[in-house]
Amino acid sequence: MNHLPSDHEPLAIRPGSTTSGSTTAPVPTTSGIFPVWLREDLKRETALQYWKGPHAQIVARLPGITEYLQHHFSPTDHGYWPSSPTVGTAVPPNWRCDGIAEVRMASTVAALTIPVHMREVYLDEQNLFDRVLGNLTGPRAGRWWTDGHDAGVGHRTVLLLRRRRGVSRRAFRRYVHDRIGPALHEAGVRDLRTYTFLPWTSLPHPTPGVSHENPTFRRYHGCVVLGAGNRSAVAEILASKQVAELVADQHTVMTAVHAFTVEHTEPVIGTGPLVRRCQGRLRGSGPIDRR
C-alpha cells in the first residue's frame, strides 16, 4: 500500500535550509485565509477588540483547528510591494480589507467537518464584519517555512496575490511555493507562510447578514505572510536581489501584489514551540496550544 503523507509531514529536506526550530522546509498545510472588512458603522478599535475578544473565544472552541491567528492590518501602511509594468501594487481604497484570519486545519477531514460546528461563528460575524471572504487552500496546498507562530517577530507583512488570467492554477501554485517562498526565505524572512487558494465560492462561509461579494477583477488567489525584525528590515528585504528577481518576472504570473502591514497579530490558537504566552489571557488561560 502506498503511503499517503499527512498534513504535518515536510515536503522535503533542503540542504542549508532552516525554519524556526526545524531543519525541514517547507511543511504542507491544509489552511484557510479569510480577508475581513470591519463594519463601517462601528469605531475601528471597538470592532478590533470584539474580534480578538468575544469572537476569538467562539472560534477557539471549534474542533479540528491547530492554529488560528488574527492579523489586524494598519489602515495607512500598505501598497509597498515593488511594482512592475501591468502588476498593480497600490491597494484600491474601496478594496482595502482590515485584516485576515489565518487558519490551519488538523487534516483534510477536519477541513470538511469544521463547517458543521460553525453556526455560532457565522451568527456572530454580523456583530463586527461587513464582508468576509473565505478562501481555502485545499489539501496540503499551503506551505509553512516555520514550525509555529514566532512571537519574536517584530513586524509582519501580508501579501495578497492575484493570478493573471490565462495562467493555470498549477503554474500559479508553483510560482508562489517554488519561486516566491524560496526567494523570501533566502532573503532572510522569518515566520514565512505561502498559500494558494481553491477556485472561489462563497459556499464554505455562508455567513448571514455579512457580504461575500468578491468581484472577479478584485479576487485574490494566493497569500504570503512574512515576518522580519521591524519595518526597516522589511524594506531591506524588498530591496534584496532575491526580491528584485521576483519583480522582474512577476508580470508573467500575476496582475496584483497587495502588501499590508500587520499592526497586531493575535495568536488565538497556536502550534509549535514558539507559541506566545502573553499577558492578555483568552478565557483566563492564554493562547491555546494544540501541538
Coordinates of all heavy atoms in Angstrom, one line a residue, residues 100-143:
I100 N -6.8 39.7 8.1 CA -7.1 38.3 7.7 C -7.1 37.4 8.9 O -6.4 37.7 9.9 CB -6.2 37.8 6.6 CG1 -4.7 37.6 7.2 CG2 -6.2 38.6 5.4 CD1 -3.8 36.8 6.4
A101 N -7.9 36.4 8.9 CA -7.8 35.3 9.8 C -7.0 34.2 9.1 O -7.4 33.8 7.9 CB -9.2 34.8 10.2
E102 N -6.0 33.7 9.7 CA -5.1 32.6 9.1 C -5.4 31.4 9.9 O -5.1 31.3 11.1 CB -3.7 33.0 9.2 CG -2.7 32.0 8.6 CD -1.2 32.4 8.8 OE1 -1.0 33.4 9.5 OE2 -0.4 31.7 8.3
V103 N -5.9 30.4 9.3 CA -6.4 29.2 10.0 C -5.7 27.9 9.4 O -5.7 27.8 8.2 CB -7.9 29.0 9.9 CG1 -8.4 27.8 10.6 CG2 -8.6 30.2 10.4
R104 N -5.2 27.1 10.3 CA -4.6 25.8 9.9 C -5.5 24.7 10.4 O -5.7 24.6 11.6 CB -3.2 25.6 10.3 CG -2.6 24.3 9.9 CD -1.1 24.1 10.3 NE -0.6 22.8 10.0 CZ 0.7 22.4 10.1 NH1 1.5 23.3 10.6 NH2 1.0 21.2 9.8
M105 N -6.0 23.8 9.5 CA -6.8 22.7 10.0 C -5.9 21.5 10.3 O -4.8 21.3 9.7 CB -7.8 22.3 8.9 CG -9.1 23.1 8.9 SD -8.9 24.9 8.5 CE -9.0 24.8 6.7
A106 N -6.4 20.6 11.2 CA -5.6 19.5 11.6 C -5.4 18.5 10.4 O -4.4 17.8 10.4 CB -6.2 18.8 12.8
S107 N -6.3 18.4 9.5 CA -6.3 17.5 8.4 C -7.3 17.9 7.4 O -8.1 18.8 7.6 CB -6.5 16.1 8.9 OG -7.9 16.0 9.4
T108 N -7.3 17.2 6.2 CA -8.3 17.4 5.2 C -9.7 17.0 5.7 O -10.7 17.7 5.5 CB -8.0 16.6 4.0 OG1 -6.7 17.0 3.5 CG2 -9.0 16.8 2.9
V109 N -9.7 15.9 6.5 CA -11.0 15.5 7.1 C -11.6 16.6 8.0 O -12.8 16.9 8.0 CB -10.9 14.2 7.9 CG1 -12.1 13.8 8.6 CG2 -10.5 13.1 6.9
A110 N -10.7 17.2 8.8 CA -11.1 18.3 9.7 C -11.7 19.4 8.9 O -12.7 20.1 9.3 CB -9.9 18.7 10.6
A111 N -11.0 19.8 7.8 CA -11.5 20.9 7.0 C -12.9 20.7 6.5 O -13.6 21.6 6.3 CB -10.5 21.1 5.8
L112 N -13.2 19.4 6.2 CA -14.5 19.1 5.7 C -15.6 19.1 6.8 O -16.8 19.3 6.5 CB -14.5 17.7 5.0 CG -13.6 17.6 3.7 CD1 -13.5 16.2 3.2 CD2 -14.2 18.6 2.6
T113 N -15.2 18.8 8.0 CA -16.2 18.7 9.1 C -16.3 19.9 10.0 O -17.4 20.1 10.7 CB -15.8 17.5 10.0 OG1 -14.5 17.7 10.6 CG2 -15.8 16.2 9.3
I114 N -15.4 20.8 9.9 CA -15.5 22.1 10.8 C -16.7 22.9 10.5 O -17.4 23.4 11.4 CB -14.2 22.9 10.6 CG1 -13.0 22.3 11.3 CG2 -14.4 24.3 11.1 CD1 -11.7 22.9 11.0
P115 N -17.1 23.0 9.2 CA -18.4 23.8 8.9 C -19.6 23.3 9.7 O -20.5 24.1 10.0 CB -18.5 23.7 7.4 CG -17.2 23.5 6.9 CD -16.5 22.6 7.9
V116 N -19.7 22.1 10.0 CA -20.8 21.6 10.8 C -20.9 22.3 12.2 O -22.0 22.4 12.7 CB -20.6 20.0 11.0 CG1 -21.8 19.5 11.8 CG2 -20.6 19.3 9.6
H117 N -19.8 22.7 12.7 CA -19.7 23.3 14.0 C -19.7 24.8 14.0 O -19.5 25.5 15.0 CB -18.5 22.8 14.8 CG -18.4 21.3 14.8 ND1 -19.1 20.5 15.7 CD2 -17.7 20.4 14.0 CE1 -18.8 19.3 15.5 NE2 -17.9 19.2 14.5
M118 N -19.9 25.4 12.8 CA -19.6 26.9 12.6 C -20.8 27.8 12.8 O -20.7 29.0 12.7 CB -19.1 27.1 11.2 CG -17.7 26.6 11.0 SD -16.4 27.7 11.6 CE -16.5 29.1 10.5
R119 N -22.0 27.2 13.2 CA -23.2 28.1 13.3 C -23.0 29.3 14.2 O -23.3 30.4 13.8 CB -24.4 27.2 13.8 CG -25.6 28.0 14.0 CD -26.8 27.2 14.4 NE -27.9 28.0 14.9 CZ -28.8 28.6 14.2 NH1 -28.6 28.6 12.9 NH2 -29.8 29.3 14.7
E120 N -22.4 29.1 15.4 CA -22.2 30.2 16.3 C -21.3 31.2 15.7 O -21.5 32.4 15.9 CB -21.7 29.7 17.7 CG -21.7 30.7 18.7 CD -21.3 30.2 20.1 OE1 -20.9 29.0 20.2 OE2 -21.3 31.0 21.1
V121 N -20.2 30.8 15.0 CA -19.3 31.7 14.4 C -20.0 32.5 13.3 O -19.9 33.8 13.3 CB -18.1 30.9 13.8 CG1 -17.2 31.9 13.0 CG2 -17.3 30.2 14.9
Y122 N -20.7 31.8 12.5 CA -21.5 32.5 11.4 C -22.4 33.6 12.0 O -22.4 34.8 11.5 CB -22.3 31.5 10.6 CG -21.5 30.5 9.8 CD1 -22.1 29.3 9.4 CD2 -20.2 30.8 9.3 CE1 -21.4 28.4 8.7 CE2 -19.5 29.9 8.6 CZ -20.1 28.7 8.3 OH -19.4 27.8 7.5
L123 N -23.1 33.3 13.0 CA -24.1 34.2 13.5 C -23.4 35.4 14.3 O -24.0 36.5 14.4 CB -25.1 33.5 14.5 CG -26.0 32.5 13.8 CD1 -26.9 31.8 14.9 CD2 -26.9 33.2 12.8
D124 N -22.2 35.2 14.7 CA -21.5 36.2 15.4 C -20.8 37.2 14.5 O -20.6 38.4 14.9 CB -20.5 35.6 16.4 CG -19.9 36.7 17.3 OD1 -20.6 37.2 18.1 OD2 -18.7 36.9 17.3
E125 N -20.6 36.8 13.3 CA -19.8 37.7 12.4 C -20.5 39.0 12.1 O -19.8 40.0 11.8 CB -19.4 36.9 11.1 CG -18.3 35.9 11.4 CD -17.8 35.2 10.1 OE1 -18.5 35.4 9.0 OE2 -16.8 34.6 10.1
Q126 N -21.8 39.0 12.1 CA -22.6 40.2 11.8 C -22.3 41.3 12.8 O -22.6 42.5 12.6 CB -24.1 39.9 11.7 CG -24.7 39.3 13.0 CD -26.1 38.8 12.8 OE1 -26.9 39.5 12.2 NE2 -26.3 37.6 13.2
N127 N -21.8 40.9 14.0 CA -21.6 41.9 15.1 C -20.4 42.8 14.8 O -20.2 43.8 15.5 CB -21.4 41.1 16.4 CG -22.6 40.5 16.9 OD1 -23.7 41.1 16.8 ND2 -22.5 39.3 17.5
L128 N -19.5 42.4 13.9 CA -18.3 43.2 13.6 C -17.8 43.3 12.2 O -17.0 44.2 11.9 CB -17.1 42.6 14.5 CG -16.5 41.2 14.1 CD1 -15.1 41.1 14.5 CD2 -17.3 40.1 14.6
F129 N -18.3 42.4 11.3 CA -17.8 42.5 9.9 C -18.9 42.9 8.9 O -20.1 42.6 9.1 CB -17.4 41.1 9.5 CG -16.2 40.5 10.3 CD1 -16.3 39.2 10.7 CD2 -15.1 41.3 10.5 CE1 -15.2 38.7 11.5 CE2 -14.0 40.7 11.3 CZ -14.1 39.4 11.7
D130 N -18.4 43.7 7.9 CA -19.3 44.0 6.8 C -19.1 42.9 5.7 O -20.1 42.6 5.0 CB -18.9 45.4 6.2 CG -19.6 46.5 6.8 OD1 -20.6 46.3 7.4 OD2 -19.1 47.7 6.7
R131 N -17.9 42.4 5.5 CA -17.6 41.4 4.5 C -16.6 40.4 5.0 O -15.6 40.8 5.7 CB -17.1 42.1 3.2 CG -16.7 41.1 2.1 CD -16.0 41.8 0.9 NE -16.9 42.5 0.1 CZ -16.8 43.8 -0.1 NH1 -15.9 44.5 0.5 NH2 -17.7 44.4 -0.9
V132 N -16.8 39.2 4.7 CA -15.8 38.1 5.0 C -15.7 37.2 3.7 O -16.7 36.8 3.1 CB -16.3 37.2 6.2 CG1 -15.3 36.1 6.4 CG2 -16.4 38.0 7.4
L133 N -14.5 37.0 3.3 CA -14.2 36.1 2.1 C -13.4 34.9 2.6 O -12.3 35.0 3.0 CB -13.4 36.9 1.1 CG -14.1 38.2 0.6 CD1 -13.2 38.9 -0.4 CD2 -15.4 38.0 0.0
G134 N -14.1 33.7 2.5 CA -13.4 32.5 2.9 C -12.7 31.8 1.7 O -13.3 31.4 0.8
N135 N -11.3 31.8 1.8 CA -10.5 31.2 0.8 C -9.8 29.9 1.4 O -9.1 30.0 2.4 CB -9.4 32.1 0.3 CG -10.0 33.3 -0.4 OD1 -10.5 33.2 -1.5 ND2 -10.0 34.5 0.3
L136 N -10.1 28.8 0.9 CA -9.4 27.5 1.3 C -8.3 27.1 0.4 O -8.4 27.3 -0.8 CB -10.5 26.4 1.4 CG -11.7 26.7 2.3 CD1 -12.7 25.5 2.3 CD2 -11.2 27.0 3.7
T137 N -7.3 26.5 1.0 CA -6.1 26.1 0.1 C -6.4 24.8 -0.5 O -5.7 24.5 -1.5 CB -4.9 26.0 1.0 OG1 -5.0 24.9 1.9 CG2 -4.6 27.3 1.7
G138 N -7.2 23.9 0.0 CA -7.3 22.6 -0.5 C -6.3 21.7 0.3 O -5.4 22.3 1.0
P139 N -6.3 20.4 0.1 CA -5.4 19.5 0.8 C -3.9 19.9 0.5 O -3.5 19.9 -0.6 CB -5.7 18.1 0.3 CG -7.1 18.3 -0.2 CD -7.2 19.7 -0.7
R140 N -3.1 20.2 1.6 CA -1.7 20.3 1.5 C -1.3 21.4 0.5 O -0.2 21.4 0.0 CB -1.0 19.0 1.1 CG -1.2 17.9 2.2 CD -0.8 16.5 1.7 NE 0.5 16.5 1.2 CZ 1.6 16.3 1.9 NH1 1.5 16.1 3.2 NH2 2.8 16.2 1.3
A141 N -2.1 22.4 0.3 CA -1.8 23.5 -0.7 C -1.2 24.7 0.0 O -1.0 25.7 -0.7 CB -3.0 23.8 -1.5
G142 N -1.0 24.7 1.3 CA -0.3 25.8 2.0 C 1.1 25.3 2.3 O 1.4 24.1 2.3
R143 N 2.0 26.2 2.6 CA 3.4 25.9 2.9 C 3.8 26.7 4.1 O 3.7 27.9 4.1 CB 4.3 26.2 1.8 CG 4.0 25.4 0.5 CD 4.4 23.9 0.6 NE 4.2 23.2 -0.6 CZ 3.0 22.7 -1.0 NH1 2.0 22.8 -0.2 NH2 2.9 22.0 -2.2

